[in-house]
Amino acid sequence: YGMVAGPGFAFPEAPVGVDSGFATGSGITTRVRVPPDAGFAVDQRAYAGLTLTLDSVQRSDADEIAFLSFAGSFDPRAIAQESERGSMEATLGGSFAGRLVWSAAWNAIVSVVARLRVEGSFRIQRPGGVTGASAIWETTIRHRLRP
């Protein structure tokens, strides 16, 4: 489960040159879940601000297509939970990268692919002792408009 750009996504008003980046005012989120039957439950979101880089522009009589890329790291997150069965401490972090295509004629993102990776490290303490665990969540998002 992931999302590339939220509803606040906007292009800047000033022109953007090739190889230049700009903050979109939006972000990338992905959901990280561990079901309770694993012995502890996690349901969190990893988030990062979204900055785009204009890679190239193709102009034709019918359209102007912008090719953009993005990459970055999710904001690190620490989680702590306690219950009568014990406690759990976790850290989450990760990275993302992707590309998107913007069509001026459609006034829309017509294609996007993004790879999201979140890494989690867990320390579970129960009456019987301490257990360590790690997990990796990977998501690939593909989106394409078709005429």
Side-chain angles (χ1 to χ4, degrees):
Y1 168 98
M3 177 173 52
V4 174
F9 178 88
F11 286 109
E13 290 186 28
V16 175
V18 173
D19 295 328
S20 295
F22 60 94
T24 63
S26 187
I28 292 182
T29 62
T30 190
R31 188 173 184 185
V32 175
R33 295 186 67 207
V34 175
D37 58 351
F40 61 95
V42 173
D43 191 351
Q44 297 286 320
R45 297 196 188 280
Y47 174 83
L50 179 62
T51 297
L52 296 175
T53 299
L54 178 61
D55 296 325
S56 66
V57 177
Q58 290 183 356
R59 292 176 179 90
S60 70
D61 292 338
D63 203 351
E64 186 171 343
I65 304 290
F67 296 87
L68 302 115
S69 61
F70 53 91
S73 297
F74 288 109
D75 298 337
R77 173 172 255 180
I79 305 161
Q81 297 176 357
E82 287 197 38
S83 71
E84 62 278 352
R85 297 185 331 195
S87 64
M88 186 269 301
E89 296 174 357
T91 57
L92 299 175
S95 60
F96 59 90
R99 295 185 172 276
L100 64 85
V101 178
W102 172 266
S103 164
W106 284 57
N107 193 30
I109 296 170
V110 294
S111 176
V112 64
V113 63
R115 179 99 173 159
L116 314 169
R117 179 185 172 101
V118 177
E119 299 163 3
S121 189
F122 304 90
R123 183 179 182 271
I124 302 113
Q125 185 168 352
R126 296 200 175 109
V130 176
T131 304
S134 63
I136 296 173
W137 292 265
E138 291 184 325
T139 303
T140 300
I141 300 168
R142 296 177 195 277
H143 165 81
R144 185 174 78 187
L145 291 180
R146 294 184 185 189

